[in-house]
């Protein structure tokens, strides 16, 4: 495997990108999960689909855009989607969750139109939907790395504010933290992570890489910091195992990565059950 | 004379349909231990939220430490323990220590890390509420009353000058309510923390507080608790909608101004 990685550039790109998103997706995912925003992540990934499909269509029909990396439009639409969600959430104050299905269906709607307008990019599209090992370009890798720098800087700079905001947002506002601004930046960073992770895991499975490792970590972690480290560990194991399996068996990495993360979740749940019943047994 | 810590001037507040506060004026001076009393829906939480700057008055203005609330920058001087301590996510994966350290976020400032002695400051404020032994426990494993103490420790850790509490004893079992108010009274006496408290535990708090405000959209009474018995029956009627039993008080526990 290592030989293959060292000798093929496409594998280097896929594995390096995978290593990066194995960190940033679960890291941001911890905040997404505890703030109960998992559905928003889902909605944003479908908006990214519209951007990607639109870009693939444009690159077919407008000669000058033939070489445009679809990730750029994907990122742009995801960021726009995150702002629209916020806007809708304030319009429908008492039905905040309505914003999610509206944006999600808008994403799929536009996506479907662009896909049917264009002809013959079904293999590209398949890669964007379920992830790819072979089609990750050097440029994709650089984009993912750029996103990672932004995400890590954001979380490092605003960690204490993000923690307080996630735990209790009324308290955050009462104590004078700029909760609105931080939430706004958080949504943009979320949009970035989703569009960046999508190259490897695929649009349809991005949100699972942000949530399943976190769900697993929360079963065993004793503190918030531990939740973060364990989420990253489980995310990283899932991505690496998933990529190797995808490469050897020629499968979509999104599938193998998510199935691995679910396997880890099941192992942890079983382990918790056994250790709990052992404790009870010892106490009885 | 120093400016009142909280000065509410002719404040009214309306939610979309409901008028919650009608031209309220009141001052909270340094060292006060004020209980705000009133029936459900009388605007108590709304008034606290206005003091905290969580909502802006529809009319009137608020001064904090002599500064107009809109310009006031030192929110860390005002600690807050909200009504539903369960407004926080009860399955949140964090330790007591992490939660309390969050109380230092504003004081440390944006772009700054928490101070080096955070652990020590957290330990001190947990000690003040009798929860030091729980610092490494997960917040979700604690009882309602224990969580409430942790939230008070979170409010205390930034060394506020005022502590605002909204029905803090909801969810605390009866035996512990006394001890809880003793703890608040000690904070007021020993650390000179000014306290503003919304509560229904009239009988339990009267021995410990200095001032009472009777609220029902407007202020029906505000003053030393010893003067409360002078409130007329009609006023009482207007305040609570039905006559309530006169509140017990200990004679001479507070000198009149
Ligand atoms: N977010 C809100 N939206 C609309 N009305 C509200 C809201 N919060 C409170 N109210 C109304 O304002 C009035 C005062 O509420 P509140 O300050 O919570 O009273 P209290 O704390 O004394 O029980 C009540 O009639 C309540 O129904
Ligand atoms: Mg209330």
């Amino acid at each position: 495997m290592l030989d293959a990685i060292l000798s093929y550039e496409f594998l280097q790109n896929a594995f390096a990108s995978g290593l990066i998103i194995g960190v940033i997706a679960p890291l941001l995912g911890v905040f997404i999960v505890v703030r109960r925003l998992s559905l928003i992540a889902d909605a944003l990934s479908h908006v990214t689909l519209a951007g990607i499909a639109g870009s693939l269509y444009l690159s077919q029909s407008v000669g000058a855009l033939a070489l445009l990396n679809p990730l750029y439009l994907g990122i742009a639409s995801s960021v726009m989607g995150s702002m629209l969600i916020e806007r809708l959430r304030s319009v429908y104050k008492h039905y905040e969750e309505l914003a999610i299905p509206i944006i999600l269906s808008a994403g799929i709607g536009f996506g479907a139109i662009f896909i049917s307008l264009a002809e013959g990019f079904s293999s590209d599209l398949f890669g964007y939907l379920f992830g790819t090992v072979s089609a990750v370009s050097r440029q994709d890798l650089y984009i993912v790395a750029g996103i990672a720098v932004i995400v890590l800087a954001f979380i490092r700079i605003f960690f204490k504010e993000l923690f307080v905001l996630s735990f209790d947002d009324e308290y955050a506002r009462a104590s004078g933290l700029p909760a609105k601004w931080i939430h706004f930046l958080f949504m943009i960073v979320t949009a970035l992570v989703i569009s960046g992770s999508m190259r490897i895991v695929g649009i349809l499975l991005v949100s699972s890489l942000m949530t399943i490792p976190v769900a697993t970590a929360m079963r065993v972690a004793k503190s918030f910091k531990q939740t973060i480290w364990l989420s990253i560990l489980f995310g990283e194991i899932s991505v690496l195992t998933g990529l190797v399996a995808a490469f050897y068996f020629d499968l979509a990495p999104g599938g193998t990565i998510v199935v691995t993360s679910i396997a880890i979740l099941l192992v942890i749940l079983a382990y918790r059950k056994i250790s709990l019943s052992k404790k009870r047994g010892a106490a009885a | 004379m120093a400016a009142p810590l909280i000065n509410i001037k002719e404040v009214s507040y309306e939610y979309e349909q409901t008028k919650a506060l009608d031209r309220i004026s009141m001052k909270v001076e340094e060292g006060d231990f004020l209980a705000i009393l009133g029936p459900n829906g009388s605007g108590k939480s709304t008034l606290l939220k206005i003091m905290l700057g969580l909502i802006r008055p529809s009319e009137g203005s608020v001064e904090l430490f002599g500064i107009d609330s809109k310009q006031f920058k030192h929110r860390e001087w005002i600690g807050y323990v909200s009504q539903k301590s369960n407004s926080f996510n009860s399955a949140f994966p964090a330790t007591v220590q992490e939660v309390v350290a969050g109380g230092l976020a504003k004081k440390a400032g944006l772009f700054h890390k928490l101070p080096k002695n955070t652990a020590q400051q957290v330990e001190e404020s947990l000690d003040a509420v009798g929860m030091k032994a729980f610092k490494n426990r997960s917040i979700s494993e604690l009882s309602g009353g224990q969580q409430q103490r942790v939230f008070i420790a979170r409010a205390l850790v930034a060394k506020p000058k005022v502590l605002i509490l909204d029905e803090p004893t909801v969810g605390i079992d009866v035996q512990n309510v006394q001890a809880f108010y003793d703890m608040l009274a000690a904070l007021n006496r020993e650390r000179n923390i000014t306290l503003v408290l919304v509560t229904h535990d009239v009988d339990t708090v009267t021995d410990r507080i200095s001032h009472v405000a009777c609220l029902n959209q407007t202020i029906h009474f505000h003053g030393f608790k010893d003067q409360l018995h002078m409130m007329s029956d009609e006023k009482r009627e207007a305040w609570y909608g039905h006559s309530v039993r006169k509140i017990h008080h200990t004679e001479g526990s507070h000198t009149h101004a």
Side-chain angles (χ1 to χ4, degrees):
Chain A
M1 187 76 215
L2 213 56
D3 299 349
I5 294 180
L6 290 176
S7 42
Y8 296 109
E9 190 187 291
F10 78 89
L11 274 186
Q12 292 169 8
N13 297 341
F15 273 86
S17 309
L19 278 172
I20 296 174
I21 67 164
V23 173
I24 59 173
L27 170 61
L28 203 74
V30 171
F31 294 96
I32 299 263
V33 169
V34 297
R35 298 189 62 200
R36 300 179 191 277
L37 298 175
S38 325
L39 289 174
I40 286 188
D42 242 343
L44 288 182
S45 63
H46 288 83
V47 173
T48 311
L49 168 71
I52 300 269
S55 185
L56 288 173
Y57 167 65
L58 282 178
S59 64
Q60 266 187 355
S61 51
V62 184
L65 298 176
L67 292 174
L68 181 73
N69 190 326
L71 264 182
Y72 290 119
L73 257 186
I75 292 172
S77 53
S78 178
V79 168
M80 256 168 48
S82 70
M83 292 184 210
L84 268 176
I85 287 183
E86 284 314 294
R87 189 80 205 93
L88 281 175
R89 263 153 59 109
S90 61
V91 172
Y92 291 101
K93 261 194 197 117
H94 302 286
Y95 294 97
E96 283 188 9
E97 72 283 1
L98 255 184
I100 294 166
I102 293 175
I103 294 294
L104 191 142
S105 17
I108 299 182
F110 282 108
I113 290 175
F114 289 128
I115 291 167
S116 45
L117 275 176
E119 297 293 327
F121 57 71
S122 62
S123 70
D124 286 348
L125 191 67
F126 188 83
Y128 283 107
L129 287 178
F130 301 109
T132 170
V133 185
S134 56
V136 185
S137 67
R138 203 27 71 103
Q139 199 189 22
D140 291 340
L141 171 59
Y142 290 149
I143 294 175
V144 170
I147 289 175
V149 170
I150 296 173
V151 175
L152 293 175
F154 172 71
I155 294 201
R156 203 180 150 74
I157 293 171
F158 295 112
F159 184 82
K160 63 185 191 313
E161 285 82 10
L162 281 169
F163 173 79
V164 174
L165 184 66
S166 310
F167 183 69
D168 182 343
D169 72 314
E170 186 184 49
Y171 177 81
R173 284 182 293 127
S175 57
L177 295 174
K180 249 195 197 153
W181 271 106
I182 290 177
H183 175 70
F184 179 74
L185 293 176
F186 180 80
M187 292 299 293
I188 290 179
V189 169
T190 303
L192 289 177
V193 170
I194 286 170
S195 36
S197 311
M198 178 211 67
R199 202 69 190 101
I200 299 288
V201 235
I203 287 161
L204 295 179
L205 296 165
V206 166
S207 67
S208 32
L209 186 59
M210 302 180 93
T211 50
I212 299 170
V214 181
T216 312
M218 279 167 67
R219 297 307 302 171
V220 280
K222 301 239 175 330
S223 69
F224 191 68
K225 287 243 166 79
Q226 246 184 41
T227 309
I228 289 180
W229 290 118
L230 287 173
S231 300
I232 293 175
L233 176 70
F234 296 144
E236 209 55 87
I237 296 174
S238 310
V239 170
L240 289 181
T241 316
L243 277 178
V244 171
F247 175 67
Y248 275 110
F249 304 110
D250 196 20
L251 300 168
T256 51
I257 289 171
V258 169
V259 168
T260 312
S261 69
I262 288 178
I264 299 173
L265 173 67
L266 293 177
V267 168
I268 294 287
L269 288 180
Y271 162 81
R272 286 273 302 174
K273 194 151 191 197
I274 292 165
S275 66
L276 270 182
S277 61
K278 258 195 193 149
K279 249 190 216 164
R280 290 221 186 88
Chain B
M1 202 188 138
L5 303 198
I6 301 175
N7 192 353
I8 309 269
K9 297 192 211 165
E10 293 282 309
V11 161
S12 300
Y13 189 82
E14 278 139 50
Y15 290 100
E16 270 146 50
Q17 277 111 23
T18 342
K19 179 145 207 159
L21 299 174
D22 188 17
R23 287 193 293 145
I24 305 267
S25 293
M26 69 189 286
K27 292 177 181 163
V28 180
E29 307 277 355
E30 186 173 356
D32 283 2
F33 186 164
L34 167 69
I36 299 176
L37 309 175
N40 285 324
S42 57
K44 305 181 297 294
S45 298
T46 306
L47 181 58
L48 295 192
K49 284 179 187 159
I50 288 202
M51 292 178 178
L52 288 157
L54 280 171
I55 51 180
R56 297 223 174 281
S58 319
E59 278 163 62
S61 62
V62 179
E63 276 181 11
L64 302 168
F65 295 84
I67 298 164
D68 189 272
S69 158
K70 281 177 234 129
Q71 267 89 53
F72 185 71
K73 293 282 182 301
H74 293 281
R75 295 274 164 206
E76 69 274 14
W77 291 351
I78 304 177
Y80 176 44
V81 180
S82 69
Q83 176 163 14
K84 289 169 283 158
S85 65
N86 25 358
S87 79
F88 85 99
N89 167 2
S90 55
F92 198 93
T95 60
V96 166
Q97 141 93 33
E98 287 174 316
V99 170
V100 176
L104 286 169
K106 172 65 170 64
K107 198 178 187 185
L110 270 182
F111 308 114
H112 291 273
K113 300 198 130 196
L114 290 176
K116 286 219 170 62
N117 64 351
T118 295
Q120 186 196 335
Q121 292 192 54
V122 166
E123 193 149 311
E124 276 168 24
S125 63
L126 280 172
D127 200 21
V129 297
M131 290 292 291
K132 197 165 140 185
F134 294 82
K135 75 173 179 189
N136 292 319
R137 291 277 289 278
S138 167
I139 185 77
S140 53
E141 290 169 1
L142 304 185
S143 72
Q146 290 172 327
Q147 283 173 349
Q148 198 65 306
R149 281 170 182 259
V150 171
F151 295 136
I152 292 175
R154 173 178 66 172
L156 287 177
V157 72
K159 310 225 161 39
K161 300 173 201 291
V162 185
L163 191 55
I164 295 182
L165 307 106
D166 198 348
E167 301 194 25
T169 54
V170 171
I172 301 187
D173 44 286
V174 189
Q175 304 95 292
N176 291 326
V177 168
Q178 290 277 357
F180 182 83
Y181 284 121
D182 284 337
M183 179 199 82
L184 288 185
L187 291 174
N188 179 243
R189 249 189 349 259
E190 288 156 23
R191 302 185 181 211
N192 195 30
I193 296 179
T194 305
L195 293 172
V196 178
L197 166 77
V198 163
T199 183
H200 290 288
D201 308 325
V202 180
D203 291 330
T204 330
V205 288
T206 24
D207 287 345
R208 296 164 176 97
I209 56 179
S210 63
H211 290 71
V212 181
C214 301
L215 180 72
N216 197 351
Q217 274 194 35
T218 63
I219 297 278
H220 291 270
F221 172 86
H222 176 213
F224 288 116
K225 65 165 179 202
D226 315 54
Q227 294 164 345
L228 184 60
H229 67 279
M230 301 194 306
M231 195 174 166
S232 66
D233 283 345
E234 297 87 77
K235 276 209 141 175
R236 248 168 239 279
E237 180 82 23
W239 167 38
Y240 240 91
H242 55 88
S243 43
V244 283
R245 170 174 53 95
K246 294 202 173 184
I247 289 167
H248 300 295
H249 68 280
T250 341
E251 284 303 335
S253 67
H254 229 272
T255 45
H256 290 215

